[in-house]
Amino acid sequence: MDLKGKVKTSFSILNCDFYNLSEQLIQAEQAKVDMLHLDIMDGHFVPNLSIGPQVVSSLRKRFDLFFDVHLMVDNPDSLVDSFIDSGADLITVHAEVSPHLQRTLSYIKDCGKKAGVALNPSTPLCCLENVMGQLDLIMIMTVNPGFGGQEFIPGMVDKISRTAELIKDYRTKYDKKKLIEIEVDGGIDLKTAARVVSAGATVLVMGTALCNSGDIAGYLNQVRETL
Ligand code: DX5
Ligand code: ZN
């Protein structure tokens, strides 16, 4: 099946050369990426630090892309407002640190933004069963979060297929019109993109592969050809 055009791409800036950030973002914009993936890390939930709302706000002033904010923090509820104010279009929180997931997602939706849930590789899909109605996106982590440039975990392909089944069942039983994207994050490149898309992924986060390619548009076109 030709899936070109249906699969979205989200450019992660985590492993960019920050000295030349704007240059790489302009390249990504020209390459027609669909989203900008902004990884927010607090040094607690994941063993690394990254950017905060001020950086997101500065980028918002210049780039018209869809802002896909991935919160890898211990207490996402305390940061949702700042990222909404700084220009997020979608906020994804981790299920592992969201005891009141239904409330968190409803709050994001009530603010007029898209809401997503991310699952670490070891987190089972069953924690999503009771929040499907609030979800716009499920993010399957295909690496353990915290760093760019890690190796894709092959066992996650089956989890992506099961996520697609979960969405299909929800649509059949409750809401035929409900659209939930499946985003995959970590180690997506020329070798892994087609496998995750065949399993049901609809949004590909790509950071390291694009940044290291030296030609974001050329690399993305090559990836699109494999789908
Ligand atoms: C990892 C981050 C990813 C990362 C993407 O914790 O959430 O978004 O930047 O992975 P790579 O660098 O492999 O494309
Ligand atoms: Zn991410």
Side-chain angles (χ1 to χ4, degrees), residues 122-143:
S122 63
T123 304
L125 282 170
C126 58
C127 64
L128 299 177
E129 276 173 17
N130 299 313
V131 292
M132 295 295 281
Q134 280 76 47
L135 278 178
D136 295 301
L137 177 143
I138 298 171
M139 183 191 292
I140 300 299
M141 292 305 305
T142 39
V143 297

Side-chain angles (χ1 to χ4, degrees), residues 3-20:
L3 291 164
K4 277 184 227 104
K6 282 189 193 163
V7 177
K8 301 180 186 74
T9 49
S10 192
F11 176 50
S12 164
I13 65 170
L14 185 66
N15 261 9
C16 274
D17 166 10
F18 275 72
Y19 183 74
N20 291 313

Side-chain angles (χ1 to χ4, degrees), residues 12-15 37-41 46 70 72 94 139 141-152 184-189 205-210:
S12 164
I13 65 170
L14 185 66
N15 261 9
H37 186 82
L38 298 154
D39 287 304
I40 315 300
M41 302 180 177
V46 291
H70 177 191
M72 282 164 279
H94 269 262
M139 183 191 292
M141 292 305 305
T142 39
V143 297
N144 285 290
F147 301 92
Q150 300 183 79
E151 201 153 320
F152 177 82
V184 286
D185 189 9
I188 305 301
D189 59 15
V205 174
M206 274 187 279
T208 306
L210 292 180

